[in-house]
Amino acid sequence: MPVTVNAADNAGAYVTGVNLNKLQASETGVLKQALGEHGVLFFRDQSLTCANHIKLAGHFGHININRFFTPLSDFPQIAQVLKEPDQQKNIGELWHTDHSYDQIPALGSILVARDLPGSGGDTLFASMFAAYDALDESMKKTLNGLTATHSSRHVFGKKAHEGTDRQALSARFHNSDAATQNAIHPVVIRHPISSRQALYVNPQFTLHINELPADESTALLELLYHHCQAELFQHRFNWQDGSVAFWDNRATWHKALNDYPGERRLMHRITIEGESLSG
Ligand SMILES: O=C(O)CCC(=O)C(=O)O
Ligand SMILES: [Fe+2]
């Protein structure tokens, strides 16, 4: 059966005709192109083993072992994205792009559903290609040439875990000492695979736009965040047993909905190294 890629509503694409347990070399190229074009790929009915999850990721680049997420003991390449029934907070509830705090941000992640709540726990994805394309020409002109500073300190650093739910969060995140560096990237990047332009600032990790005074930077970022959160650019992915999502951080934002109180949700995530970004 040939690989078929069908654009999803507003962001991403659904891929059929592929068994992720044994990806063929020719299929890797198709998926890579599709990722560069659509930003996130959705798969159904895969019984992906942990060993094959690692193998699959390896087709797209080196595996990045996330320094903040707790890994599986048998497979250190796999991070657990977990919310236990007695925990209040989930991981990734605020709109964000993973790893924008790195100088060389990760390409993206392959997330596999392992234990799902009875209902809820969908993930929203937003296309930063579409969000950029929809800006008017004068705004595009203003943004091209600007750079922004991103950081992990306020999210994964020591101070971030103080106060509420600290114990619950520190069981799921570790290595807060490593959350020390900032990274600078263009506000509008050219996607490394497709060369399409995409907005590359996000509410979770972007601190400020470097070329503007603080108040103007805050105002511009707020305006952009408001724009990017329009439903017009979003796809809501409903996880089922066997679902897999492969997103590209350079083309999308995502947001994990926290609407399943008292239930457990466990996902396995592998992150793939990327390359430095340019405008
Ligand atoms: O649990 C999810 O749906 C996504 C969580 C998240 O933000 C991530 O794994 O990067
Ligand atoms: Fe995330």
Side-chain angles (χ1 to χ4, degrees):
M1 203 166 45
V3 183
T4 306
V5 179
N6 286 309
D9 290 340
N10 305 332
Y14 283 81
V15 181
T16 53
V18 64
N19 178 354
L20 296 180
N21 272 311
K22 7 180 174 165
L23 194 73
Q24 309 295 312
S26 59
E27 296 171 332
T28 305
V30 175
L31 296 191
K32 200 169 168 195
Q33 282 311 116
L35 197 63
E37 193 174 325
H38 298 282
V40 49
L41 305 178
F42 305 112
F43 305 84
R44 298 285 189 202
D45 303 319
Q46 304 285 330
S47 319
L48 192 61
T49 64
C50 289
N52 286 337
H53 188 184
I54 294 169
K55 233 177 170 174
L56 173 68
H59 286 289
F60 298 92
H62 292 291
I63 291 176
N64 171 303
I65 300 192
N66 186 297
R67 53 201 183 278
F68 307 123
F69 282 72
T70 306
L72 289 184
S73 51
D74 294 351
F75 298 98
Q77 300 93 329
I78 300 179
Q80 296 194 77
V81 178
L82 172 65
K83 183 177 176 241
E84 294 285 12
D86 63 343
Q87 294 174 328
Q88 310 298 317
K89 286 184 182 256
N90 70 343
I91 292 172
E93 193 183 5
L94 203 67
W95 279 110
H96 65 283
T97 302
D98 299 331
H99 285 258
S100 70
Y101 48 81
D102 284 333
Q103 309 282 352
I104 301 190
L107 178 160
S109 287
I110 303 177
L111 193 70
V112 179
R114 293 297 181 198
D115 187 7
L116 293 172
S119 65
D122 292 352
T123 307
L124 304 181
F125 290 90
S127 168
M128 291 302 112
F129 291 142
Y132 177 76
D133 289 346
L135 293 170
D136 63 39
E137 289 309 314
S138 72
M139 179 58 92
K140 287 181 183 168
K141 229 178 179 168
T142 303
L143 297 179
N144 276 286
L146 296 179
T147 62
T149 299
H150 303 246
S151 177
S152 61
R153 261 178 247 234
H154 55 293
V155 181
F156 298 118
K158 274 214 156 74
K159 286 227 163 87
H161 294 182
E162 279 171 13
T164 55
D165 215 8
R166 184 192 163 121
Q167 225 181 348
L169 274 182
S170 54
R172 288 180 287 171
F173 292 130
H174 64 171
N175 243 346
S176 56
D177 291 343
T180 52
Q181 78 288 51
N182 290 347
I184 293 178
H185 305 292
V187 169
V188 178
I189 57 160
R190 280 211 177 264
H191 192 277
I193 300 171
S194 62
S195 292
R196 286 185 70 180
Q197 287 184 291
L199 269 175
Y200 194 73
V201 284
N202 70 88
Q204 176 118 62
F205 297 119
T206 307
L207 297 181
H208 55 261
I209 296 177
N210 300 317
E211 294 77 8
L212 298 178
D215 54 341
E216 286 180 35
S217 159
T218 304
L220 181 55
L221 287 174
E222 271 172 18
L223 185 146
L224 291 174
Y225 296 158
H226 180 76
H227 169 80
C228 291
Q229 285 176 47
E231 282 190 22
L232 186 67
F233 311 131
Q234 286 172 28
H235 186 73
R236 180 175 181 140
F237 186 56
N238 173 245
W239 294 93
Q240 297 163 10
D241 288 339
S243 296
V244 176
F246 183 179
W247 68 80
D248 188 316
N249 289 321
R250 294 87 48 100
T252 52
W253 281 1
H254 58 276
K255 172 187 174 73
L257 296 180
N258 188 10
D259 56 355
Y260 49 97
E263 292 196 77
R264 186 172 195 259
R265 181 175 181 273
L266 172 66
M267 317 295 274
H268 282 180
R269 180 178 123 170
I270 298 185
T271 299
I272 301 161
E273 301 270 13
E275 54 208 90
S276 61
L277 300 174
S278 51

